[in-house]
Amino acid sequence: MLKKKFPHTFAIVFYIIIIAAALTWFIPGGSYERQTINVNGADREVIVNNSFKFVESQPQTWEIFAA
């Protein structure tokens, strides 16, 4: 009976990075505006409602090897 071996942790992480990099070619880039507010004496950065805007995409290629 053959035992299937589970892939090494680094192999799994590498495949996740490859998939994420490939998705940068298909999913458009975007960002939200943020503002800093004071909540109970602590400064918090929050997203402004309805502030989403598309930005220029930055498809990843060789950058994946630096990840």
Side-chain angles (χ1 to χ4, degrees):
M1 192 153 126
L2 279 173
K3 271 190 168 180
K4 285 191 175 185
K5 290 181 73 178
F6 197 73
H8 193 275
T9 306
F10 290 138
I12 295 170
V13 171
F14 183 71
Y15 291 133
I16 291 171
I17 291 171
I18 295 293
I19 292 167
L23 289 174
T24 64
W25 286 87
F26 303 106
I27 299 174
S31 68
Y32 289 94
E33 291 180 27
R34 299 173 186 269
Q35 69 180 11
T36 304
I37 61 171
N38 190 308
V39 178
N40 296 330
D43 287 338
R44 305 279 183 178
E45 193 172 276
V46 296
I47 295 173
V48 177
N49 285 336
N50 299 321
S51 65
F52 180 81
K53 62 182 175 205
F54 288 102
V55 296
E56 183 178 346
S57 292
Q58 297 177 346
Q60 303 296 300
T61 53
W62 298 108
E63 294 86 353
I64 61 171
F65 296 110

